[in-house]
Amino acid sequence: SSMRDIAGIAGFQALAGQHVAVSDWLTITQQRIDTFADATDDHQWIHVDAQRCARESPYGCTVAHGFLTLSLLPAMLQGALHMAGIRMAINYGLNKVRFPAPVPVGSRLRARLDILSVDDLPEGAQVNWAVTMEREGDPKPVCVAEFLMRCYP
């Protein structure tokens, strides 16, 4: 996908209410899942035990942590946008996060990024993104969320 150029706060404001970008595809490998399990101390077998998953899981394979999927958002956003005139962008928070479908190992994911609204802050603006994370070949999204990003020029 091509990068979307956004020039300063005014660039975000001009895109309020619109579809803005789609990130590149990113592959969820077992190594990425294992590294996330180590980083978060969440080694639940549905994420890391391929043999047990083959026997007992409805998916037949390991699946990514929902929070792993969610944590890829900033990188996907950065990869899809070129922000000029923004000194600093901070992940302020999330609203209404859901994981409607699993992410089996080997999945390719990407994020569809729309701007819901842009709110003024004393020294910058808060950009409210509607994010839909898609899995290649699956009509159901694997993550939907409102993502709040604070931008300072």
Side-chain angles (χ1 to χ4, degrees):
S1 66
S2 57
M3 264 204 180
R4 183 71 181 252
D5 283 300
I6 299 177
I9 304 287
F12 284 109
Q13 288 166 334
L15 291 168
Q18 294 180 48
H19 171 69
V20 175
V22 179
S23 76
D24 287 329
W25 292 106
L26 193 148
T27 302
I28 305 300
T29 61
Q30 188 61 49
Q31 183 185 356
R32 190 185 284 267
I33 294 172
D34 291 345
T35 302
F36 189 84
D38 289 341
T40 57
D41 277 340
D42 182 353
H43 293 91
Q44 196 187 146
W45 65 270
I46 61 166
H47 306 306
V48 297
D49 189 337
Q51 281 74 33
R52 186 170 173 189
C53 284
R55 292 193 314 268
E56 298 178 39
S57 164
Y59 313 119
C61 63
T62 57
V63 295
H65 308 67
F67 285 171
L68 166 54
T69 307
L70 187 63
S71 71
L72 294 169
L73 253 183
M76 287 179 166
L77 210 87
Q78 259 179 332
L81 307 175
H82 178 259
M83 298 185 287
I86 301 292
R87 175 176 51 87
M88 186 170 68
I90 291 174
N91 306 333
Y92 183 67
L94 297 139
N95 295 329
K96 302 181 197 166
V97 181
R98 298 290 183 272
F99 305 109
V103 177
V105 65
S107 296
R108 294 200 332 143
L109 306 183
R110 71 177 180 186
R112 296 185 57 79
L113 305 164
D114 306 333
I115 294 179
L116 290 170
S117 61
V118 180
D119 301 320
D120 289 329
L121 296 174
E123 323 217 306
Q126 178 170 293
V127 182
N128 302 324
W129 294 93
V131 178
T132 306
M133 213 175 288
E134 306 173 328
R135 180 169 86 93
E136 192 175 39
D138 191 343
K140 204 173 196 190
V142 296
C143 178
V144 291
E146 288 177 19
F147 180 56
L148 313 178
M149 185 174 83
R150 294 196 158 183
C151 298
Y152 300 93

